[in-house]
Amino acid sequence: MIEPPLLALTRQRGDAPDDGAAAQNMRQLVQLRWIAVAGQTATILLMHFGLGVPLPVVQMLGVALALALVNLATTLAAPRHRVRTIEIMLALLLDMAALTLQLYFSGGAGNPFISLYLLQVVLGAILLPTPAAVVLTAAAGASYALLTLRALPLILPSGLIADSADLFAIGRWIAFVMVAGLLVMFIARISRNLRARDAAVADLRQHAAEQDGIVRMGLFASGAAHELGTPLGTLSVILADWRRMPGIADDPALVADVVEMQGEVGRCKAIVSDILQSAGQPRGEAMERASARAFLDDCVATWGRLRPDVALLYIPRALGETSVAIDPALRQAIWNLLDNAAEVSPHAVELEARVETEHLVIAVADDGPGFAPDVLAGLGGLYRSTKGEGHGLGLFLATNLARRLGGRLEARNLTHGAEVRLILPVVGKGS
């Protein structure tokens, strides 16, 4: 995931209208600026009061305070502001101006910390387009030249160090370590952000491919549903005629078979109707708010009538007046999960429904062999199934339906069997 801010003062408050690369880069600069403010303040106080080096403390601490106030304003405004690349350049120029003032008050170009200009130039080369980076480089060169011509001298008290060259050598070493450390930290974090962005883009592409597959399957399914309507209607009429025929009506076994066939034809017609309804209505208009308990009761009862051979244990746990968004395909998705469980465990299928942290959890468990590791790793992928090539469509459709409703699909292996959880957001909850 994308790196969180290093310091608490840089954490986002609220949702930003734009959280792209510019906003991420601005947060990185804010972090570095807090480090710069703390480092400048500590160095000024140590040099002036600890080592006795006379410095214009008021002016230098004033620059650090102004930089801190600008940083605080940037932190507060960032969540409500769309960050642009030009603002990144202005932020770097501001940091460069503050550094120039601090160096002006403490020896100018002879100050060992003059190498901090390289930090600004390298950051500009990484974060900015070429023209803006050139402007930043020119500003750094002009500042260096100005400090060579004009600056307040840095006067070291006698006896501070036997050879003043040693003090400047130590300062140059400290400056080198600071620049190297800050660059490594910043570039490493930017690289992690880029990798996270690439992973997010790959995930979006995968979702787009899955949605394209759903569209193609939807077109095929709606066309097939139209074609199946007539033969299913014909079968329904023929079965009704058979049931009234004396040869069949007098044989209880044949009557039971005909009734079972009528039930299966009725189920096929209901599935066809659901497909046509889903294909014929816009996504937003097809959804409605309904009681979770009533919906699940009806869904389980209907499935139980269609699959009387399966032992289903239904456990609704304190659902109360919980409401969820019902999509026309949600019933079929739950039936698919139950069908999958019944195929591997017809004598031990369980559906448990409960509310967890503003989500309705519909858990379907079986007593079968469980999922293979590669199926769990690619859960919800198209045709990822232990049943062989061409299967796995039920979990794929359930995954995408859950995503469309703002939820998710999870699966895990139990000690005996497996459990698939359909997690949907709650849209209303009564007392």
Side-chain angles (χ1 to χ4, degrees):
M1 61 185 298
I2 292 178
E3 286 286 330
L6 286 176
L7 305 176
L9 285 174
T10 64
R11 296 190 185 277
Q12 300 181 63
R13 295 171 175 83
D15 296 328
D18 177 73
D19 196 35
Q24 290 291 339
N25 293 336
M26 181 61 81
R27 282 194 286 274
Q28 301 292 336
L29 290 181
V30 166
Q31 295 165 15
L32 289 178
R33 193 177 292 151
W34 285 122
I35 295 174
V37 169
Q40 290 176 16
T41 303
T43 302
I44 294 167
L45 295 177
L46 174 64
M47 294 297 292
H48 185 78
F49 296 103
L51 301 180
V53 178
L55 295 173
V57 176
V58 175
Q59 293 90 330
M60 297 183 74
L61 290 180
V63 173
L65 177 61
L67 202 59
L69 292 176
V70 170
N71 219 30
L72 184 60
T74 303
T75 302
L76 296 175
R80 300 178 297 275
H81 177 67
R82 182 185 180 90
V83 179
R84 296 173 295 176
T85 302
I86 184 65
E87 296 176 22
I88 301 292
M89 184 183 75
L90 293 177
L92 288 171
L93 288 174
L94 175 64
D95 293 338
M96 189 176 294
L99 177 62
T100 302
L101 286 174
Q102 298 289 34
L103 294 174
Y104 173 82
F105 291 127
S106 56
N111 191 308
F113 291 95
I114 193 75
S115 59
L116 288 174
Y117 278 124
L118 292 176
L119 178 63
Q120 310 297 331
V121 172
V122 173
L123 294 183
I126 294 173
L127 301 178
L128 299 174
T130 301
V134 170
V135 171
L136 198 68
T137 303
S143 299
Y144 197 120
L146 177 64
L147 292 173
T148 303
L149 300 175
R150 295 287 300 275
L152 297 181
L154 185 65
I155 303 174
L156 301 178
S158 59
L160 179 61
I161 291 184
D163 186 355
S164 63
D166 293 340
L167 181 62
F168 282 96
I170 294 172
R172 285 191 293 270
W173 177 81
I174 293 175
F176 173 81
V177 172
M178 285 179 58
V179 171
L182 290 173
L183 283 176
V184 168
M185 181 191 73
F186 187 87
I187 294 174
R189 292 169 65 83
I190 286 294
S191 298
R192 282 194 288 268
N193 286 343
L194 291 176
R195 287 195 295 270
R197 183 200 63 184
D198 292 341
V201 170
D203 190 49
L204 287 175
R205 288 176 177 169
Q206 176 65 25
H207 289 173
E210 292 175 354
Q211 292 296 327
D212 181 65
I214 290 175
V215 170
R216 287 187 281 108
M217 286 188 294
L219 292 174
F220 173 79
S222 60
H226 280 290
E227 296 296 329
L228 289 172
T230 299
L232 286 175
T234 302
L235 285 175
S236 180
V237 172
I238 293 174
L239 288 173
D241 291 342
W242 282 5
R243 191 172 179 181
R244 290 191 295 269
M245 293 177 61
I248 295 178
D250 296 336
D251 189 334
L254 291 178
V255 170
D257 289 341
V258 172
V259 169
E260 183 177 355
M261 287 189 287
Q262 285 180 316
E264 293 300 320
V265 170
R267 183 185 180 192
C268 291
K269 292 174 69 175
I271 293 173
V272 167
S273 297
D274 284 344
I275 292 174
L276 293 175
Q277 182 184 17
S278 299
Q281 290 182 327
R283 178 181 298 176
E285 297 176 3
M287 296 184 188
E288 61 181 9
R289 173 174 170 171
S291 166
R293 178 61 186 268
F295 171 76
L296 289 173
D297 287 350
D298 180 68
C299 188
V300 169
T302 303
W303 189 84
R305 289 194 298 269
L306 298 174
R307 299 293 300 270
D309 57 312
V310 178
L312 172 62
L313 176 61
Y314 173 45
I315 309 174
R317 296 191 183 275
L319 298 180
E321 299 300 322
T322 300
S323 299
V324 292
I326 304 298
D327 185 279
L330 180 57
R331 183 188 304 271
Q332 187 61 47
I334 295 174
W335 285 353
N336 286 339
L337 298 182
L338 291 171
D339 286 340
N340 289 343
E343 287 185 16
V344 297
S345 175
H347 302 297
V349 175
E350 177 184 301
L351 187 149
E352 179 184 353
R354 60 186 181 274
V355 176
E356 292 182 358
T357 61
E358 302 303 321
H359 284 79
L360 173 66
V361 179
I362 304 171
V364 177
D366 61 60
D367 197 26
F371 292 105
D374 60 328
V375 174
L376 280 178
L379 180 70
L382 186 57
Y383 302 134
R384 296 297 298 271
S385 173
T386 57
K387 303 174 188 176
E389 187 69 24
H391 294 275
L393 186 59
L395 284 178
F396 172 71
L397 293 176
T399 298
N400 283 274
L401 173 66
R403 187 182 299 148
R404 188 166 74 245
L405 293 175
R408 63 188 185 277
L409 190 79
E410 298 177 350
R412 60 173 180 163
N413 286 329
L414 306 174
T415 304
H416 298 287
E419 179 185 73
V420 178
R421 305 201 314 164
L422 185 61
I423 304 173
L424 303 174
V426 171
V427 298
K429 189 173 182 180
S431 57

